[in-house]
Amino acid sequence: MFLAIYRKTLGDLSEPKAILTYLLVFVSVLWFLLIGFGNNEIPDAVAKLPLAEQELELLTAYVPLTWLWGVGIGLLVAGALFVALTLATEADRGTLDLLLSKPVRRWEVLLAIFLANVTFLFAVAVASLLLVAVFLYQMGGFSTAALGGGVFAVLPATLVYALFVSAFVNAVGMAASVATRNRLQTAALTAVVPALFFVLFVARLVPGSIYEDYSLYMIDVSYHLGNVYALLLGTLGDPLPVELQAQLGFWAGVYEVPQGQDALGESLELVGYVDPVVSLALCVCLTLGLLAVALVQFQRLDV
Amino acid sequence: MTMIETRGLTKEYGDVTAVTEVDLTVDRGDIHGFVGHNGAGKTTTMQMLTGLVTPTRGEAYIGGEPAGTRAATKKIGYAPQDPAFYESMTGRDYLTYMGELSAVDGSTRERADELLTRLNLTDAADQAVEGYSGGMLRRLAVGQAMLGDPELLILDEPTAALDPEGRAMIIDALESLTDEGTTIFVSSHVLTELEQFIDTVTFLKEGQVVTSGPLTEVLSDTGIERFVVDASDNDRAARLLATHESVDEVDRNDDGAVVVRTDDPEGFAVALPQALSDATLGLYSVDREGGLEERFLDILDDGGED
């Protein structure tokens, strides 16, 4: 029964129109971002640089693009939209009452749908990661050998991070589905995650001290996810080169970035609003907590 | 042996009480009609039996198992009043999927095909459900309820929106199921149809049970039977019948015929020809009324149990 619901949910998510629409938006934004990166970050004739320098150039472009878009806002928005197509749609359309009148355990239904959502979003994330790599490779003009140190070296950590983000956004989506039982409201509530990611990312870049004075970093999804990504990159791969730390410092606010490229030194200090392990624990607790709330509420739900 | 038993079953939604202290007993193998106006609480009661809605108070048992538990749900097949479907699925895929959730013994595909044949949906088996007519959808809903060979079928208005042929098909299917020992708990607004195949009945009014029992007993309860008598002299016949011991009330209808309400329909039916004959009155026709429809109107429209 668990597998039947899991398969059915994956089928619901594999809606060609929704996937094509997402792909179109994803590629368009990626193209726009790559033009910015290409012009500002990647040197001309990069293929003529020594391999190690090419790898570093590719790495320092690939990781921020991945964090910001590939498994960042793009994936979070996709998660909000796709999660609304499953449990909330079942409740909204009225198919849930027939489903729950069958001898299935409610926690099995919820968990099967959640895992199918995570699987699907993870597949979307893998496709997105490949697209980012392919586009960067093509538009940047890197040599093929640079993919080893520039992309594949960080792939294990990035895949784990993508799985983590998929689970996180879907836990929010499942709780929203059970609370609202409405597609649009579920999508809107889950979209709070990418909204917080984007708004607080922008707030952090604005000069002034509002971000620190009001401890906005505590609800800054981009900062916490940046912390988690940096932790995973450091744990599952080689130590992060200082240039990559600088990129994560600028984009995710994880590292203190000194003014001027010359002053980077060998390694950067963490900003340290919150320890990366605490960010990880916070996100894990939030994911499990929301899932537990969804399970309890779903168990008591009057259909 | 009891299939459904409820004690003090109550459901409140905030200040609104949908169902109040419902006590029901339905024996195994019975076809039980559940009758009441729209909003009387029939659907809520059925949802509490299936475990879709949690009672505010009271208890419900299905074959001895507390309602809402997996053991109880395994015994039930449920077709709701307004079933929703996965519209892009074909009828066969839909039944196969629901079969996978219904603990069907053996091949769910074969069971799905068997039900598609039984409900005359074979021709549309590979057609997307969104193209089905209202009647086909109703049959599909009943089909999905029958998938796991349940001991108890709970059907909320199963023949609504069906043409006579569709109704007959559903009723035939239900009657054959009772031959196999399945208990059926069914609500319907087509009461003349319901009384053709139910064994026991419960009337629900404003969330409360008004009367419940075997159909024959409920129909023969005080005051439910009417006889419309057309005699050679209806004025004399009306005066005569008003004095008869089994007659409660005498009235005249628009055609001038005598309308008699009696608490002893069987006795009255036997005594009537003799009484008129003794008074040298000719009996042109007598129509007996008092089926479920009349009982429904008596009880639910005229202010409760008589």
Side-chain angles (χ1 to χ4, degrees), chain B residues 18-19 33-49 78 81 154 156-157 185-189 202-207 296 300:
Chain B
V19 173
F34 203 43
V35 179
H37 282 305
N38 287 334
K42 302 189 300 291
T43 297
T44 306
T45 306
M46 288 178 156
Q47 287 176 326
M48 285 193 279
L49 295 177
Y78 172 58
Q81 189 174 1
I154 297 180
D156 200 353
E157 303 280 349
F185 189 75
V186 58
S187 74
S188 174
H189 275 116
T202 293
F203 283 87
L204 203 65
K205 183 181 182 184
E206 292 168 2
F296 177 79
L300 301 182

PDB file of all heavy atoms in Angstrom, chain B residues 18-19 33-49 78 81 154 156-157 185-189 202-207 296 300:
ATOM      1  N   ALA B  18     -24.063  18.059  14.549  1.00  0.00           N
ATOM      2  CA  ALA B  18     -24.491  17.400  13.311  1.00  0.00           C
ATOM      3  C   ALA B  18     -25.214  16.088  13.605  1.00  0.00           C
ATOM      4  O   ALA B  18     -26.179  15.730  12.934  1.00  0.00           O
ATOM      5  CB  ALA B  18     -23.287  17.141  12.411  1.00  0.00           C
ATOM      6  N   VAL B  19     -24.731  15.375  14.609  1.00  0.00           N
ATOM      7  CA  VAL B  19     -25.309  14.072  14.963  1.00  0.00           C
ATOM      8  C   VAL B  19     -25.380  13.996  16.483  1.00  0.00           C
ATOM      9  O   VAL B  19     -24.409  14.324  17.169  1.00  0.00           O
ATOM     10  CB  VAL B  19     -24.432  12.920  14.415  1.00  0.00           C
ATOM     11  CG1 VAL B  19     -24.925  11.583  14.916  1.00  0.00           C
ATOM     12  CG2 VAL B  19     -24.414  12.934  12.891  1.00  0.00           C
ATOM     13  N   GLY B  33     -31.438   0.520   5.463  1.00  0.00           N
ATOM     14  CA  GLY B  33     -31.650   1.835   4.848  1.00  0.00           C
ATOM     15  C   GLY B  33     -31.481   2.933   5.881  1.00  0.00           C
ATOM     16  O   GLY B  33     -31.923   2.801   7.027  1.00  0.00           O
ATOM     17  N   PHE B  34     -30.840   4.009   5.458  1.00  0.00           N
ATOM     18  CA  PHE B  34     -30.575   5.133   6.368  1.00  0.00           C
ATOM     19  C   PHE B  34     -31.249   6.347   5.734  1.00  0.00           C
ATOM     20  O   PHE B  34     -30.797   6.846   4.701  1.00  0.00           O
ATOM     21  CB  PHE B  34     -29.067   5.315   6.486  1.00  0.00           C
ATOM     22  CG  PHE B  34     -28.612   6.018   7.719  1.00  0.00           C
ATOM     23  CD1 PHE B  34     -29.161   5.724   8.951  1.00  0.00           C
ATOM     24  CD2 PHE B  34     -27.612   6.981   7.656  1.00  0.00           C
ATOM     25  CE1 PHE B  34     -28.731   6.373  10.101  1.00  0.00           C
ATOM     26  CE2 PHE B  34     -27.164   7.627   8.794  1.00  0.00           C
ATOM     27  CZ  PHE B  34     -27.736   7.324  10.026  1.00  0.00           C
ATOM     28  N   VAL B  35     -32.327   6.791   6.345  1.00  0.00           N
ATOM     29  CA  VAL B  35     -33.209   7.739   5.688  1.00  0.00           C
ATOM     30  C   VAL B  35     -33.281   9.052   6.463  1.00  0.00           C
ATOM     31  O   VAL B  35     -33.359   9.040   7.693  1.00  0.00           O
ATOM     32  CB  VAL B  35     -34.628   7.123   5.560  1.00  0.00           C
ATOM     33  CG1 VAL B  35     -35.591   8.098   4.906  1.00  0.00           C
ATOM     34  CG2 VAL B  35     -34.574   5.827   4.767  1.00  0.00           C
ATOM     35  N   GLY B  36     -33.257  10.132   5.750  1.00  0.00           N
ATOM     36  CA  GLY B  36     -33.402  11.449   6.391  1.00  0.00           C
ATOM     37  C   GLY B  36     -33.262  12.537   5.361  1.00  0.00           C
ATOM     38  O   GLY B  36     -32.783  12.302   4.252  1.00  0.00           O
ATOM     39  N   HIS B  37     -33.697  13.736   5.741  1.00  0.00           N
ATOM     40  CA  HIS B  37     -33.562  14.882   4.843  1.00  0.00           C
ATOM     41  C   HIS B  37     -32.094  15.198   4.596  1.00  0.00           C
ATOM     42  O   HIS B  37     -31.222  14.744   5.343  1.00  0.00           O
ATOM     43  CB  HIS B  37     -34.206  16.118   5.488  1.00  0.00           C
ATOM     44  CG  HIS B  37     -35.688  16.134   5.408  1.00  0.00           C
ATOM     45  ND1 HIS B  37     -36.369  16.018   4.236  1.00  0.00           N
ATOM     46  CD2 HIS B  37     -36.637  16.270   6.381  1.00  0.00           C
ATOM     47  CE1 HIS B  37     -37.667  16.081   4.471  1.00  0.00           C
ATOM     48  NE2 HIS B  37     -37.861  16.224   5.775  1.00  0.00           N
ATOM     49  N   ASN B  38     -31.846  16.057   3.620  1.00  0.00           N
ATOM     50  CA  ASN B  38     -30.492  16.596   3.462  1.00  0.00           C
ATOM     51  C   ASN B  38     -30.114  17.343   4.736  1.00  0.00           C
ATOM     52  O   ASN B  38     -30.927  18.097   5.269  1.00  0.00           O
ATOM     53  CB  ASN B  38     -30.447  17.581   2.289  1.00  0.00           C
ATOM     54  CG  ASN B  38     -30.522  16.857   0.963  1.00  0.00           C
ATOM     55  OD1 ASN B  38     -30.147  15.694   0.866  1.00  0.00           O
ATOM     56  ND2 ASN B  38     -31.028  17.532  -0.051  1.00  0.00           N
ATOM     57  N   GLY B  39     -28.904  17.094   5.219  1.00  0.00           N
ATOM     58  CA  GLY B  39     -28.452  17.791   6.424  1.00  0.00           C
ATOM     59  C   GLY B  39     -28.912  17.126   7.707  1.00  0.00           C
ATOM     60  O   GLY B  39     -28.708  17.662   8.798  1.00  0.00           O
ATOM     61  N   ALA B  40     -29.541  15.945   7.594  1.00  0.00           N
ATOM     62  CA  ALA B  40     -30.026  15.254   8.795  1.00  0.00           C
ATOM     63  C   ALA B  40     -28.893  14.603   9.584  1.00  0.00           C
ATOM     64  O   ALA B  40     -29.068  14.250  10.751  1.00  0.00           O
ATOM     65  CB  ALA B  40     -31.052  14.204   8.411  1.00  0.00           C
ATOM     66  N   GLY B  41     -27.751  14.455   8.949  1.00  0.00           N
ATOM     67  CA  GLY B  41     -26.615  13.842   9.645  1.00  0.00           C
ATOM     68  C   GLY B  41     -26.254  12.460   9.119  1.00  0.00           C
ATOM     69  O   GLY B  41     -25.430  11.757   9.711  1.00  0.00           O
ATOM     70  N   LYS B  42     -26.854  12.070   7.996  1.00  0.00           N
ATOM     71  CA  LYS B  42     -26.588  10.736   7.449  1.00  0.00           C
ATOM     72  C   LYS B  42     -25.123  10.583   7.038  1.00  0.00           C
ATOM     73  O   LYS B  42     -24.457   9.619   7.415  1.00  0.00           O
ATOM     74  CB  LYS B  42     -27.474  10.467   6.208  1.00  0.00           C
ATOM     75  CG  LYS B  42     -28.949  10.558   6.442  1.00  0.00           C
ATOM     76  CD  LYS B  42     -29.749  10.079   5.238  1.00  0.00           C
ATOM     77  CE  LYS B  42     -29.487  10.872   3.970  1.00  0.00           C
ATOM     78  NZ  LYS B  42     -30.004  12.254   4.013  1.00  0.00           N
ATOM     79  N   THR B  43     -24.649  11.554   6.251  1.00  0.00           N
ATOM     80  CA  THR B  43     -23.274  11.461   5.754  1.00  0.00           C
ATOM     81  C   THR B  43     -22.271  11.525   6.901  1.00  0.00           C
ATOM     82  O   THR B  43     -21.300  10.755   6.932  1.00  0.00           O
ATOM     83  CB  THR B  43     -23.019  12.589   4.729  1.00  0.00           C
ATOM     84  OG1 THR B  43     -23.894  12.391   3.629  1.00  0.00           O
ATOM     85  CG2 THR B  43     -21.581  12.575   4.233  1.00  0.00           C
ATOM     86  N   THR B  44     -22.518  12.398   7.871  1.00  0.00           N
ATOM     87  CA  THR B  44     -21.601  12.497   9.015  1.00  0.00           C
ATOM     88  C   THR B  44     -21.550  11.175   9.774  1.00  0.00           C
ATOM     89  O   THR B  44     -20.473  10.713  10.172  1.00  0.00           O
ATOM     90  CB  THR B  44     -22.045  13.642   9.957  1.00  0.00           C
ATOM     91  OG1 THR B  44     -22.158  14.836   9.190  1.00  0.00           O
ATOM     92  CG2 THR B  44     -21.051  13.849  11.080  1.00  0.00           C
ATOM     93  N   THR B  45     -22.723  10.553   9.953  1.00  0.00           N
ATOM     94  CA  THR B  45     -22.754   9.253  10.654  1.00  0.00           C
ATOM     95  C   THR B  45     -21.959   8.217   9.874  1.00  0.00           C
ATOM     96  O   THR B  45     -21.153   7.469  10.453  1.00  0.00           O
ATOM     97  CB  THR B  45     -24.220   8.778  10.829  1.00  0.00           C
ATOM     98  OG1 THR B  45     -24.953   9.808  11.478  1.00  0.00           O
ATOM     99  CG2 THR B  45     -24.283   7.503  11.651  1.00  0.00           C
ATOM    100  N   MET B  46     -22.166   8.205   8.555  1.00  0.00           N
ATOM    101  CA  MET B  46     -21.435   7.247   7.720  1.00  0.00           C
ATOM    102  C   MET B  46     -19.930   7.507   7.788  1.00  0.00           C
ATOM    103  O   MET B  46     -19.127   6.569   7.833  1.00  0.00           O
ATOM    104  CB  MET B  46     -21.915   7.337   6.273  1.00  0.00           C
ATOM    105  CG  MET B  46     -23.303   6.748   6.077  1.00  0.00           C
ATOM    106  SD  MET B  46     -23.857   6.924   4.381  1.00  0.00           S
ATOM    107  CE  MET B  46     -25.058   5.607   4.267  1.00  0.00           C
ATOM    108  N   GLN B  47     -19.559   8.775   7.797  1.00  0.00           N
ATOM    109  CA  GLN B  47     -18.123   9.105   7.870  1.00  0.00           C
ATOM    110  C   GLN B  47     -17.530   8.699   9.219  1.00  0.00           C
ATOM    111  O   GLN B  47     -16.359   8.338   9.293  1.00  0.00           O
ATOM    112  CB  GLN B  47     -17.925  10.600   7.618  1.00  0.00           C
ATOM    113  CG  GLN B  47     -18.127  10.967   6.153  1.00  0.00           C
ATOM    114  CD  GLN B  47     -18.030  12.449   5.904  1.00  0.00           C
ATOM    115  OE1 GLN B  47     -18.428  13.250   6.742  1.00  0.00           O
ATOM    116  NE2 GLN B  47     -17.503  12.832   4.763  1.00  0.00           N
ATOM    117  N   MET B  48     -18.347   8.757  10.270  1.00  0.00           N
ATOM    118  CA  MET B  48     -17.838   8.312  11.576  1.00  0.00           C
ATOM    119  C   MET B  48     -17.656   6.799  11.582  1.00  0.00           C
ATOM    120  O   MET B  48     -16.723   6.281  12.187  1.00  0.00           O
ATOM    121  CB  MET B  48     -18.777   8.766  12.696  1.00  0.00           C
ATOM    122  CG  MET B  48     -18.652  10.251  13.002  1.00  0.00           C
ATOM    123  SD  MET B  48     -19.445  10.751  14.543  1.00  0.00           S
ATOM    124  CE  MET B  48     -21.148  10.875  14.012  1.00  0.00           C
ATOM    125  N   LEU B  49     -18.550   6.098  10.896  1.00  0.00           N
ATOM    126  CA  LEU B  49     -18.427   4.634  10.826  1.00  0.00           C
ATOM    127  C   LEU B  49     -17.176   4.239  10.045  1.00  0.00           C
ATOM    128  O   LEU B  49     -16.514   3.249  10.371  1.00  0.00           O
ATOM    129  CB  LEU B  49     -19.669   4.017  10.169  1.00  0.00           C
ATOM    130  CG  LEU B  49     -20.990   4.166  10.921  1.00  0.00           C
ATOM    131  CD1 LEU B  49     -22.139   3.583  10.112  1.00  0.00           C
ATOM    132  CD2 LEU B  49     -20.921   3.477  12.282  1.00  0.00           C
ATOM    133  N   TYR B  78     -16.556   1.712   1.107  1.00  0.00           N
ATOM    134  CA  TYR B  78     -17.325   2.951   1.259  1.00  0.00           C
ATOM    135  C   TYR B  78     -17.427   3.699  -0.057  1.00  0.00           C
ATOM    136  O   TYR B  78     -16.417   3.896  -0.743  1.00  0.00           O
ATOM    137  CB  TYR B  78     -16.646   3.819   2.324  1.00  0.00           C
ATOM    138  CG  TYR B  78     -17.212   5.225   2.464  1.00  0.00           C
ATOM    139  CD1 TYR B  78     -18.553   5.434   2.770  1.00  0.00           C
ATOM    140  CD2 TYR B  78     -16.392   6.345   2.315  1.00  0.00           C
ATOM    141  CE1 TYR B  78     -19.067   6.719   2.918  1.00  0.00           C
ATOM    142  CE2 TYR B  78     -16.895   7.630   2.463  1.00  0.00           C
ATOM    143  CZ  TYR B  78     -18.236   7.804   2.761  1.00  0.00           C
ATOM    144  OH  TYR B  78     -18.731   9.078   2.899  1.00  0.00           O
ATOM    145  N   GLN B  81     -21.117  10.185  -1.046  1.00  0.00           N
ATOM    146  CA  GLN B  81     -22.219  10.789  -1.783  1.00  0.00           C
ATOM    147  C   GLN B  81     -21.722  11.488  -3.061  1.00  0.00           C
ATOM    148  O   GLN B  81     -22.309  11.353  -4.113  1.00  0.00           O
ATOM    149  CB  GLN B  81     -22.915  11.798  -0.875  1.00  0.00           C
ATOM    150  CG  GLN B  81     -24.199  12.329  -1.448  1.00  0.00           C
ATOM    151  CD  GLN B  81     -24.927  13.213  -0.456  1.00  0.00           C
ATOM    152  OE1 GLN B  81     -24.477  13.446   0.657  1.00  0.00           O
ATOM    153  NE2 GLN B  81     -26.070  13.717  -0.860  1.00  0.00           N
ATOM    154  N   ILE B 154     -20.806   0.541   2.895  1.00  0.00           N
ATOM    155  CA  ILE B 154     -21.484   1.763   3.315  1.00  0.00           C
ATOM    156  C   ILE B 154     -21.630   2.636   2.072  1.00  0.00           C
ATOM    157  O   ILE B 154     -20.638   3.087   1.507  1.00  0.00           O
ATOM    158  CB  ILE B 154     -20.685   2.485   4.419  1.00  0.00           C
ATOM    159  CG1 ILE B 154     -20.602   1.587   5.659  1.00  0.00           C
ATOM    160  CG2 ILE B 154     -21.319   3.822   4.771  1.00  0.00           C
ATOM    161  CD1 ILE B 154     -19.842   2.181   6.822  1.00  0.00           C
ATOM    162  N   ASP B 156     -23.457   5.903   0.303  1.00  0.00           N
ATOM    163  CA  ASP B 156     -24.184   7.147   0.507  1.00  0.00           C
ATOM    164  C   ASP B 156     -24.808   7.556  -0.831  1.00  0.00           C
ATOM    165  O   ASP B 156     -24.085   7.961  -1.742  1.00  0.00           O
ATOM    166  CB  ASP B 156     -23.186   8.213   1.002  1.00  0.00           C
ATOM    167  CG  ASP B 156     -23.866   9.360   1.698  1.00  0.00           C
ATOM    168  OD1 ASP B 156     -25.105   9.399   1.676  1.00  0.00           O
ATOM    169  OD2 ASP B 156     -23.160  10.220   2.269  1.00  0.00           O
ATOM    170  N   GLU B 157     -26.101   7.410  -0.918  1.00  0.00           N
ATOM    171  CA  GLU B 157     -26.846   7.749  -2.141  1.00  0.00           C
ATOM    172  C   GLU B 157     -26.240   7.059  -3.381  1.00  0.00           C
ATOM    173  O   GLU B 157     -25.862   7.739  -4.351  1.00  0.00           O
ATOM    174  CB  GLU B 157     -26.827   9.266  -2.365  1.00  0.00           C
ATOM    175  CG  GLU B 157     -27.380  10.083  -1.224  1.00  0.00           C
ATOM    176  CD  GLU B 157     -28.903  10.122  -1.213  1.00  0.00           C
ATOM    177  OE1 GLU B 157     -29.523   9.700  -2.199  1.00  0.00           O
ATOM    178  OE2 GLU B 157     -29.457  10.555  -0.198  1.00  0.00           O
ATOM    179  N   PHE B 185     -25.179  -0.911   4.275  1.00  0.00           N
ATOM    180  CA  PHE B 185     -25.736   0.241   4.995  1.00  0.00           C
ATOM    181  C   PHE B 185     -25.851   1.342   3.957  1.00  0.00           C
ATOM    182  O   PHE B 185     -24.855   1.861   3.466  1.00  0.00           O
ATOM    183  CB  PHE B 185     -24.754   0.618   6.116  1.00  0.00           C
ATOM    184  CG  PHE B 185     -25.274   1.646   7.080  1.00  0.00           C
ATOM    185  CD1 PHE B 185     -26.215   1.314   8.040  1.00  0.00           C
ATOM    186  CD2 PHE B 185     -24.801   2.949   7.050  1.00  0.00           C
ATOM    187  CE1 PHE B 185     -26.679   2.253   8.949  1.00  0.00           C
ATOM    188  CE2 PHE B 185     -25.252   3.891   7.960  1.00  0.00           C
ATOM    189  CZ  PHE B 185     -26.199   3.542   8.907  1.00  0.00           C
ATOM    190  N   VAL B 186     -27.093   1.667   3.594  1.00  0.00           N
ATOM    191  CA  VAL B 186     -27.278   2.500   2.411  1.00  0.00           C
ATOM    192  C   VAL B 186     -28.230   3.664   2.685  1.00  0.00           C
ATOM    193  O   VAL B 186     -29.248   3.497   3.347  1.00  0.00           O
ATOM    194  CB  VAL B 186     -27.782   1.632   1.228  1.00  0.00           C
ATOM    195  CG1 VAL B 186     -29.077   0.925   1.566  1.00  0.00           C
ATOM    196  CG2 VAL B 186     -27.934   2.426  -0.047  1.00  0.00           C
ATOM    197  N   SER B 187     -27.855   4.821   2.197  1.00  0.00           N
ATOM    198  CA  SER B 187     -28.786   5.941   2.262  1.00  0.00           C
ATOM    199  C   SER B 187     -29.256   6.227   0.845  1.00  0.00           C
ATOM    200  O   SER B 187     -28.522   5.983  -0.118  1.00  0.00           O
ATOM    201  CB  SER B 187     -28.115   7.177   2.839  1.00  0.00           C
ATOM    202  OG  SER B 187     -27.236   7.751   1.904  1.00  0.00           O
ATOM    203  N   SER B 188     -30.456   6.699   0.722  1.00  0.00           N
ATOM    204  CA  SER B 188     -30.969   7.040  -0.600  1.00  0.00           C
ATOM    205  C   SER B 188     -32.163   7.970  -0.449  1.00  0.00           C
ATOM    206  O   SER B 188     -32.881   7.923   0.544  1.00  0.00           O
ATOM    207  CB  SER B 188     -31.386   5.776  -1.358  1.00  0.00           C
ATOM    208  OG  SER B 188     -31.994   6.128  -2.570  1.00  0.00           O
ATOM    209  N   HIS B 189     -32.344   8.806  -1.466  1.00  0.00           N
ATOM    210  CA  HIS B 189     -33.530   9.645  -1.469  1.00  0.00           C
ATOM    211  C   HIS B 189     -34.665   9.005  -2.264  1.00  0.00           C
ATOM    212  O   HIS B 189     -35.791   9.443  -2.206  1.00  0.00           O
ATOM    213  CB  HIS B 189     -33.197  11.016  -2.071  1.00  0.00           C
ATOM    214  CG  HIS B 189     -32.635  11.950  -1.067  1.00  0.00           C
ATOM    215  ND1 HIS B 189     -31.361  12.448  -1.133  1.00  0.00           N
ATOM    216  CD2 HIS B 189     -33.166  12.439   0.081  1.00  0.00           C
ATOM    217  CE1 HIS B 189     -31.144  13.222  -0.090  1.00  0.00           C
ATOM    218  NE2 HIS B 189     -32.223  13.231   0.663  1.00  0.00           N
ATOM    219  N   THR B 202     -33.500   3.004   9.382  1.00  0.00           N
ATOM    220  CA  THR B 202     -33.394   4.001  10.454  1.00  0.00           C
ATOM    221  C   THR B 202     -33.759   5.357   9.866  1.00  0.00           C
ATOM    222  O   THR B 202     -33.300   5.710   8.781  1.00  0.00           O
ATOM    223  CB  THR B 202     -31.959   4.054  11.006  1.00  0.00           C
ATOM    224  OG1 THR B 202     -31.679   2.833  11.674  1.00  0.00           O
ATOM    225  CG2 THR B 202     -31.786   5.215  11.982  1.00  0.00           C
ATOM    226  N   PHE B 203     -34.618   6.065  10.566  1.00  0.00           N
ATOM    227  CA  PHE B 203     -34.960   7.435  10.172  1.00  0.00           C
ATOM    228  C   PHE B 203     -34.176   8.395  11.051  1.00  0.00           C
ATOM    229  O   PHE B 203     -34.180   8.266  12.282  1.00  0.00           O
ATOM    230  CB  PHE B 203     -36.460   7.684  10.363  1.00  0.00           C
ATOM    231  CG  PHE B 203     -37.311   7.087   9.288  1.00  0.00           C
ATOM    232  CD1 PHE B 203     -37.754   5.779   9.383  1.00  0.00           C
ATOM    233  CD2 PHE B 203     -37.671   7.826   8.179  1.00  0.00           C
ATOM    234  CE1 PHE B 203     -38.542   5.218   8.401  1.00  0.00           C
ATOM    235  CE2 PHE B 203     -38.457   7.271   7.182  1.00  0.00           C
ATOM    236  CZ  PHE B 203     -38.893   5.974   7.292  1.00  0.00           C
ATOM    237  N   LEU B 204     -33.547   9.337  10.398  1.00  0.00           N
ATOM    238  CA  LEU B 204     -32.740  10.317  11.115  1.00  0.00           C
ATOM    239  C   LEU B 204     -33.341  11.698  10.868  1.00  0.00           C
ATOM    240  O   LEU B 204     -33.653  12.052   9.722  1.00  0.00           O
ATOM    241  CB  LEU B 204     -31.301  10.266  10.582  1.00  0.00           C
ATOM    242  CG  LEU B 204     -30.179  10.767  11.469  1.00  0.00           C
ATOM    243  CD1 LEU B 204     -30.041   9.879  12.699  1.00  0.00           C
ATOM    244  CD2 LEU B 204     -28.848  10.767  10.701  1.00  0.00           C
ATOM    245  N   LYS B 205     -33.512  12.445  11.947  1.00  0.00           N
ATOM    246  CA  LYS B 205     -34.024  13.814  11.788  1.00  0.00           C
ATOM    247  C   LYS B 205     -33.202  14.739  12.655  1.00  0.00           C
ATOM    248  O   LYS B 205     -33.049  14.504  13.862  1.00  0.00           O
ATOM    249  CB  LYS B 205     -35.499  13.879  12.197  1.00  0.00           C
ATOM    250  CG  LYS B 205     -36.100  15.253  11.974  1.00  0.00           C
ATOM    251  CD  LYS B 205     -37.543  15.293  12.419  1.00  0.00           C
ATOM    252  CE  LYS B 205     -38.124  16.674  12.130  1.00  0.00           C
ATOM    253  NZ  LYS B 205     -39.499  16.790  12.621  1.00  0.00           N
ATOM    254  N   GLU B 206     -32.658  15.760  12.038  1.00  0.00           N
ATOM    255  CA  GLU B 206     -31.834  16.746  12.741  1.00  0.00           C
ATOM    256  C   GLU B 206     -30.788  16.078  13.622  1.00  0.00           C
ATOM    257  O   GLU B 206     -30.598  16.442  14.775  1.00  0.00           O
ATOM    258  CB  GLU B 206     -32.721  17.690  13.545  1.00  0.00           C
ATOM    259  CG  GLU B 206     -33.560  18.583  12.637  1.00  0.00           C
ATOM    260  CD  GLU B 206     -34.655  19.336  13.377  1.00  0.00           C
ATOM    261  OE1 GLU B 206     -34.744  19.198  14.608  1.00  0.00           O
ATOM    262  OE2 GLU B 206     -35.405  20.050  12.708  1.00  0.00           O
ATOM    263  N   GLY B 207     -30.161  15.058  13.065  1.00  0.00           N
ATOM    264  CA  GLY B 207     -29.053  14.405  13.747  1.00  0.00           C
ATOM    265  C   GLY B 207     -29.456  13.361  14.778  1.00  0.00           C
ATOM    266  O   GLY B 207     -28.597  12.781  15.439  1.00  0.00           O
ATOM    267  N   PHE B 296     -41.748   8.369   5.594  1.00  0.00           N
ATOM    268  CA  PHE B 296     -40.728   9.417   5.627  1.00  0.00           C
ATOM    269  C   PHE B 296     -41.398  10.784   5.842  1.00  0.00           C
ATOM    270  O   PHE B 296     -41.010  11.561   6.708  1.00  0.00           O
ATOM    271  CB  PHE B 296     -39.972   9.391   4.285  1.00  0.00           C
ATOM    272  CG  PHE B 296     -38.936  10.450   4.098  1.00  0.00           C
ATOM    273  CD1 PHE B 296     -37.687  10.328   4.685  1.00  0.00           C
ATOM    274  CD2 PHE B 296     -39.191  11.568   3.325  1.00  0.00           C
ATOM    275  CE1 PHE B 296     -36.725  11.294   4.495  1.00  0.00           C
ATOM    276  CE2 PHE B 296     -38.225  12.544   3.130  1.00  0.00           C
ATOM    277  CZ  PHE B 296     -36.995  12.404   3.718  1.00  0.00           C
ATOM    278  N   LEU B 300     -40.767  12.668   9.298  1.00  0.00           N
ATOM    279  CA  LEU B 300     -39.797  13.753   9.202  1.00  0.00           C
ATOM    280  C   LEU B 300     -40.440  15.107   8.923  1.00  0.00           C
ATOM    281  O   LEU B 300     -39.900  16.135   9.298  1.00  0.00           O
ATOM    282  CB  LEU B 300     -38.760  13.429   8.132  1.00  0.00           C
ATOM    283  CG  LEU B 300     -37.982  12.140   8.389  1.00  0.00           C
ATOM    284  CD1 LEU B 300     -36.935  11.925   7.314  1.00  0.00           C
ATOM    285  CD2 LEU B 300     -37.304  12.153   9.748  1.00  0.00           C
TER     286      LEU B 300
END
